[in-house]
Each structure stands twice: as structure tokens, then as C-alpha cells.
Amino acid sequence: MTERLSLASIPAGHRPGVDPRGLSVGIVHLGLGAFHRAHQAVFTEQAAILTGDTRWGICGISQRSSTVRDQLAPQDGLYSVLTRGQGDPGVRVIGSIRDVLTAPEDPQAVVDRVADPAVSVVTLTVTEKGYRAAAQGGLDLTDPEIQADLAGRPPRTVVGQLAAGLAKRAAIGAGPFTVLSCDNLVANGHYLRRLVEDYAAELPHAKALHEQLEVVRFPASMVDRIVPATTDADRDETAVLLGVRDEAVVVAEPFLQWVIEDDFAGPRPDWEKAGAILTDDVEPWEQAKLRMLNATHSMLAYLGALRGYETIAEAVRDEKLAGLATELMTSDVIPTLTPPVGLDLTAYGQSVLERFANPALKHRTAQVAMDGSVKLPVRLLGTVRDRLAANAEPRLAALAVAAWMVYVARGTDANGKPLSLDDPQATKLRSALDGAGTNPAAIVNALLNVDSVFGPDLPANQTFRALLTDHVTTLTH
């Protein structure tokens, strides 16, 4: 059996650019999934290499299971990023993650880390559903996990963890603090601040927390890199490239982008030295990415899965689907956008499809299709609303939504293979479809009236309803 990756076993040619043992923890990251390890952790290590600043080791917090901790612990926190582009794959070992905590096992340890005076930045990649927001904005105070945190247990939700950590920081005088969301949400910094404020409002006697919220900063950010799920074949290939076994390898495309609002309360890594863009206004970048890349990703996932395609690359190689994806961006999305300075939206759209077509990534349609009920409002429904407000028919955006509806309602692809509904609102969606059968109008009516997805306005819009019904009819026949 090949020796396991560690500080002792790593071949000299693959050692990280800084000695991980010399890094102190200055960042806490909530949501220690593959994306963080292929994105923010890479930027952070590169900044340390270029500046020699060793204050920015990362303590990663796994919100659910101990899997990542159990993978990294025998490897001295080391893992590799396997980069798959058009040429030969490359592998790089990263050592910026210096500690890992599993929140369900020791929630108080998470609060203590957030409150550590040496920590001045918390970053988050917890996916849209991890924020536990209500359908029309604000914190979902009916969520049982939020209620349990508010009742005084050691917190297990990210909002509860942040609130408890901020309160403790205030109590011990821990110093300035910045909370940086890296999730695919509109105005994610402002969004997260509101959720924490909503939580704090339910704790009227928490004076220290309320005072801390006056000085803490919540900058927005936009992140971009395609990071498919790691397979055993990826681990085997990495072992050949490294000469040692890495059980924590993550896979990514070569493209890497991070746009950050320059609004920090205190010290931070020099991420711009590693290629991040620091700006006063993230919104144009964020909107372009969410409405073009992420929306197109979802469209291809649902249409591709319905046709029986396993991967996004297979779907985008289908000329029909590639044409529809292009039309979504050019006809529906671009008219709603103000491009960032220097970004050609048409060229950006073409580059998106080129990235999706990378056959080496094997990004599964089922993976991208997950959590549609919380992704669609962010990725597609803003475009729908803007086009309707302009008295234009959002025909292609409606097609993407209709594909999601058929995916949810039918549950099988064109070959009769089951389609997994992995969604935080799966029970609600299935309940809504009771009695709808295979009738297109009934399917549209059932799902369009799920208020937590479509709100009160879209079900009343007859143009949108008619578009959905036409598309669902076509997709089911």
C-alpha cells in the first residue's frame, strides 16, 4: 500500500511553499468542504508564500461530519489539489489548514475559536441552505435548529456560532473582526449581516453582542472555480503523481477567481498578492457570475439529467443544450446586467461554456442539481423578475425553471433511470405535487405555488405561468 501523505512522507518536489508548522491560526472557516480547500485555502497559502506573513493559518470547521478531519489528521493537515485542464493534470500540496473542528462533536470549541483574539477573519462556504433564511429574506426563526440555538444550547447553526463567537469576543475584548461570506448569494455580506442581526434581535439582553455588531464588518465577495466531487479514481491518480496516498485530495479546474469588497475591520491576508480582486463594489461581478455561470450550470444540470447525461461536460457537448445555454445568457441574462469594468459579457458567456465542456472534470449533473429550491431564487428568478418588469418574456430562464419542475415531478430521466431529489425542501415539494400526476398545468401550479421558492408575486404572473406550462408540456412529451 502506498504511504500516506504527511510532512514526513511528502516528496521534496511537492512540499508547500511555506512550512505549515510555522503558521499560526488567524482565520476560521465555517464549512470545510472541497470548494474551500480548492479556493480560499489556496489563495491564503499563496499570499503567505508571496509575503512571508505566517499569521494566516486556517482553522476549518466541518458543520456536519468528521470526514474531512479524519482525512486530514493523519496527513498533518496536508492535502492536494488535482487540477484538470485540457492538458496533463497537475497536483499541488496545500498546508494552510492547520486545525479542523467538527461542530456537532464540540460546538463550544467552535465558539471559542471564533472568539480567539488571534483570529480576525471568519470566512464561510456553507451553501445557500446553511444560512437558514426565510423565503422572503431574513432569518427563519421557525427553523428548529435556530430555535434550539436561541434557547441556549451550544450553537450548531452558522448564524448561532457567529453570534455566540461575537458575543464572547466582545466580552474578552478580542479586537476587530470581519465575517466574509464566500457563498453564491446576492449581496452575501449584507445578507449574512441581516441574519445575524435578526438572531441578535431575539436576544434583547445580549448587550455585548449588539455592541459588537456595530463594529464588525461583513464584506461581500464573489468566488469562482469548478470543483467536482472527488472519486476513488482521482485519489489513485493523485497517488501516482505525488508518490504518496492523499485521502483528502480535491479536484478543480485551472480557472480561479475571487472578488472581495475591500471593507475589513482589521488585519487580513494580502489576498490581492495571490490574484484576488479587491474592489469597492462586488455587485456587478456577483450578478454576472450568478446569473450567467451559475444559472447556466443549473439549466444544463436539469436539462442534461433529464436527457440521461451523467456530467455537465456531456450536456454541453449536446449542440441543442449548448445552444439553449447560450441563448439564456444572451437573450435573457445580459439585458439585466451592468457589466463590471473590463468584462465583456458575451465573451464571458462563451468562456463559461468552454469551462463547462472540460471533459476532465466530470462534474456530475446530479451534484449541480442538488438544492434547487434554494439555488433557483438566487440564480434564475432575479432574471425572471427583471425581464418581466421590462415587459419582456423570460423564455429561456423559464425553460430552466421548467426543467427543474420536471426533474422534481418526474423523478426519472429519458432512459427511466431514477433522478435523486437532494433538496432541503424535498418533503414540501413532494407534498405540493400530490395529486398533480403528469398533467403539465397541474405540475406548474403545484410547484409555482411553493411560496418559499417563488414568493407571492411570480404565481400571479400569467406570462411566467404560461411560459412554464408550455415548457413543461414540451419536456414531458
Side-chain angles (χ1 to χ4, degrees):
M1 181 177 178
T2 306
E3 188 176 8
R4 188 81 172 261
L5 173 66
S6 69
L7 286 169
S9 69
I10 183 172
H14 290 286
R15 292 190 177 278
V18 291
D19 187 344
R21 292 166 294 191
L23 295 175
S24 58
V25 171
I27 300 171
V28 169
H29 182 81
L30 305 180
L32 191 59
F35 185 83
H36 168 70
R37 287 178 282 147
H39 191 276
Q40 298 95 33
V42 174
F43 272 101
T44 301
E45 175 155 298
Q46 187 64 17
I49 292 170
L50 295 173
T51 64
D53 191 342
T54 60
R55 293 176 294 168
W56 304 112
I58 299 167
C59 174
I61 312 296
S62 176
Q63 295 294 325
R64 291 181 292 180
S65 76
S66 63
T67 300
V68 176
R69 182 199 61 198
D70 296 344
Q71 289 173 339
L72 290 175
Q75 300 183 177
D76 298 319
L78 301 179
Y79 68 94
S80 54
V81 179
L82 177 65
T83 304
R84 293 190 183 279
Q86 296 300 323
D88 293 336
V91 65
R92 174 181 176 180
V93 174
I94 302 296
S96 54
I97 296 176
R98 293 292 82 223
D99 190 19
V100 178
L101 298 175
T102 301
E105 293 181 356
D106 193 350
Q108 186 57 48
V110 176
V111 174
D112 294 342
R113 263 300 193 184
V114 172
D116 184 348
V119 171
S120 60
V121 179
V122 164
T123 54
L124 298 88
T125 50
V126 296
T127 75
E128 295 91 337
K129 64 184 176 184
Y131 289 81
R132 299 180 184 272
Q136 302 310 311
L139 188 65
D140 183 1
L141 295 171
T142 68
D143 185 292
E145 294 297 310
I146 292 292
Q147 290 179 340
D149 282 1
L150 285 168
R153 73 171 181 184
R156 296 188 181 183
T157 68
V158 294
V159 172
Q161 290 162 356
L162 288 171
L166 288 170
K168 184 171 181 179
R169 290 184 71 87
I172 65 176
F177 194 63
T178 300
V179 181
L180 178 60
S181 171
C182 301
D183 281 299
N184 289 322
L185 296 161
V186 176
N188 52 14
H190 175 79
Y191 181 90
L192 179 54
R193 174 185 280 279
R194 178 181 172 184
L195 300 183
V196 178
E197 288 174 343
D198 287 351
Y199 187 95
E202 299 298 306
L203 302 169
H205 302 297
K207 181 180 178 182
L209 172 57
H210 290 274
E211 290 177 350
Q212 186 77 346
L213 282 170
E214 294 179 6
V215 295
V216 117
R217 309 306 300 167
F218 287 82
S221 78
M222 185 278 283
V223 298
D224 193 3
R225 193 174 206 185
I226 296 173
V227 182
T230 303
T231 66
D232 287 338
D234 297 323
R235 295 184 185 91
D236 292 342
E237 182 170 9
T238 302
V240 172
L241 294 170
L242 277 180
V244 290
R245 184 81 180 174
D246 178 9
E247 293 297 336
V249 59
V250 293
V251 182
E253 66 171 334
F255 184 88
L256 183 65
Q257 187 180 46
W258 196 5
V259 182
I260 309 169
E261 182 183 3
D262 194 2
D263 182 25
F264 288 78
R268 61 166 177 83
D270 289 325
W271 283 312
E272 65 272 35
K273 299 282 180 64
I277 298 170
L278 273 289
T279 178
D280 292 333
D281 187 8
V282 171
E283 183 179 5
W285 296 92
E286 167 198 273
Q287 290 292 327
K289 194 252 182 172
L290 286 172
R291 294 192 177 191
M292 295 188 74
L293 185 146
N294 293 118
T296 306
H297 221 191
S298 289
M299 173 191 249
L300 289 167
Y302 296 119
L303 289 175
L306 290 171
R307 289 194 173 200
Y309 295 131
E310 292 281 343
T311 69
I312 295 293
E314 289 172 350
V316 84
R317 287 199 297 271
D318 182 315
E319 291 185 4
K320 174 69 171 177
L321 297 192
L324 291 170
T326 299
E327 194 175 353
L328 168 66
M329 291 187 280
T330 56
S331 297
D332 276 354
V333 176
I334 288 178
T336 73
L337 297 177
T338 300
V341 175
L343 182 65
D344 181 320
L345 291 175
T346 301
Y348 175 69
Q350 292 170 347
S351 73
V352 163
L353 294 184
E354 289 170 2
R355 290 166 60 195
F356 288 169
N358 181 353
L361 285 178
K362 297 181 173 60
H363 206 176
R364 295 171 57 245
T365 51
Q367 181 186 1
V368 181
M370 290 169 57
D371 305 334
S373 68
V374 288
K375 287 178 177 177
L376 261 63
V378 175
R379 299 179 176 198
L380 282 156
L381 299 187
T383 295
V384 168
R385 289 185 170 97
D386 285 352
R387 295 295 281 158
L388 291 172
N391 294 316
E393 289 192 351
R395 190 173 63 85
L396 274 299
L399 172 60
V401 176
W404 169 76
M405 288 181 164
V406 175
Y407 182 98
V408 171
R410 194 164 73 187
T412 58
D413 66 16
N415 304 314
K417 182 180 177 181
L419 296 171
S420 172
L421 180 58
D422 190 341
D423 192 288
Q425 300 189 62
T427 301
K428 180 186 290 188
L429 298 174
R430 291 192 178 103
S431 177
L433 285 164
D434 280 349
T438 59
N439 181 274
I443 291 170
V444 170
N445 186 63
L447 292 176
L448 192 54
N449 285 316
V450 177
D451 184 78
S452 55
V453 178
F454 293 100
D457 57 324
L458 289 178
N461 190 287
Q462 295 307 309
T463 298
F464 185 48
R465 182 181 290 273
L467 286 169
L468 289 173
T469 304
D470 286 347
H471 288 314
V472 170
T473 300
T474 301
L475 290 169
T476 53
H477 289 83

